[in-house]
């Protein structure tokens, strides 16, 4: 479970970085320095990061429920 918690923290950082990258790309797009294709690629990377974070959270919760069930607390 500790490993999964660490993975969640890493994925949260990845989402934060992807969000910041998207924000900067959006500014560059409005300034005419990026194409819409570049912006869409960066947006896709952000969405993939969020998906991976959500998967890590779901896996953590599944592991937690399984542990509680095994211990007879659920």
């Amino acid at each position: 479970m500790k490993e999964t918690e660490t993975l969640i923290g890493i994925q949260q950082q990845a989402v934060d970085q992807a969000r910041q990258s998207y924000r900067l790309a959006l500014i560059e797009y409005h300034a005419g320095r990026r194409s819409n294709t570049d912006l869409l690629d960066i947006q896709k990377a952000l969405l993939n990061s969020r998906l991976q974070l959500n998967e890590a959270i779901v896996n953590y919760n599944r592991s937690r429920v399984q542990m509680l069930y095994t211990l007879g607390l659920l």
Side-chain angles (χ1 to χ4, degrees), residues 17-63:
Q17 289 175 352
R19 186 179 298 124
Q20 185 176 24
S21 177
Y22 177 70
R23 185 181 61 80
L24 293 174
L26 190 59
I27 291 168
E28 290 177 347
Y29 172 74
H30 287 296
R33 298 181 66 202
R34 286 210 184 247
S35 69
N36 60 346
T37 305
D38 289 341
L39 190 62
L40 290 173
D41 288 342
I42 293 169
Q43 186 179 32
K44 181 180 176 183
L46 172 58
L47 293 174
N48 284 336
S49 293
R50 286 180 179 169
L51 178 62
Q52 290 174 352
L53 173 61
N54 288 339
E55 287 175 359
I57 292 170
V58 166
N59 289 338
Y60 174 80
N61 287 332
R62 283 183 182 164
S63 297

